[in-house]
Amino acid sequence: MRNRLNIIIAASLLGLLSCGREPLPATCPAVGDALPAFSVRMETGETVTSEDLSLGRCLLVFFHTGCPDCVRELEDLQPFYDRHGAELRLVLISRSEGPESVREYWRAHGYTMPYSAQKDRRVYDLFSRSGIPYVLLVQDGVIRGIWNDRDMFSEEEYRSLVGEPRKD
């Protein structure tokens, strides 16, 4: 009887914990996969969807301003954005960090890159289970490159992926 009661309680708690949350995909997307469906509201008020990113090139970056690796990546991304922003759409999405915190961080560092502050992991969970920064190069709606906190994106890799000559 006690075992049965424990099973019922455990099942009830599990059900409560999963309420209102979409199940995580079985696997994370890989290079060559289509971009998962998502929608975010940017700080400018614009809504960006995966459909919007189905034409052209996009660099999708997940970050948190309290993460030391993200701080370094954001420092490198601003000059990259300044050089390549006209040819490459850059969409930065915070992982579990609200708009006030991100806005203040952007202001303090003089960043002009477009971002979407997400208080939860809903969008991030479509792409990864752990690790930030997490960067995806998307071309015509297909993931062409993935970098994470152990293997970061470089401008040289970007150039080689899009067929630009090496700068020496």
Side-chain angles (χ1 to χ4, degrees), residues 142-160:
V142 176
I143 298 169
R144 301 292 181 197
I146 299 175
W147 296 267
N148 59 32
D149 56 334
R150 294 176 301 280
D151 174 33
M152 278 319 304
F153 176 79
S154 72
E155 187 165 352
E156 195 59 44
E157 286 175 298
Y158 170 71
R159 290 179 184 286
S160 70

Side-chain angles (χ1 to χ4, degrees), residues 1 5 9-10 43 45 47 80 93 116 123 125 128 134 137 157:
M1 182 70 167
L5 182 59
I9 291 171
E43 92 287 354
T47 297
F80 180 85
I93 302 173
S116 174
V123 178
D125 283 346
S128 182
Y134 192 77
L137 177 64
E157 286 175 298

Side-chain angles (χ1 to χ4, degrees), residues 63 65 94 97-107 115 117:
F63 71 93
T65 62
S94 70
E97 186 173 13
E100 302 82 19
S101 175
V102 177
R103 186 179 313 111
E104 181 55 37
Y105 189 86
W106 249 238
R107 189 175 302 129
Y115 69 87

Side-chain angles (χ1 to χ4, degrees), residues 59 61 68-84 90 92 105 109 111 113 133 135 152-155:
L59 201 59
V61 180
D69 289 335
C70 295
V71 167
R72 284 190 294 278
E73 188 65 16
L74 291 170
E75 288 170 358
D76 291 343
L77 277 173
Q78 182 63 55
F80 180 85
Y81 175 70
D82 293 341
R83 283 190 300 277
H84 299 287
L90 186 63
L92 289 94
Y105 189 86
H109 291 83
Y111 291 157
M113 301 174 287
V135 180
M152 278 319 304
F153 176 79
S154 72
E155 187 165 352

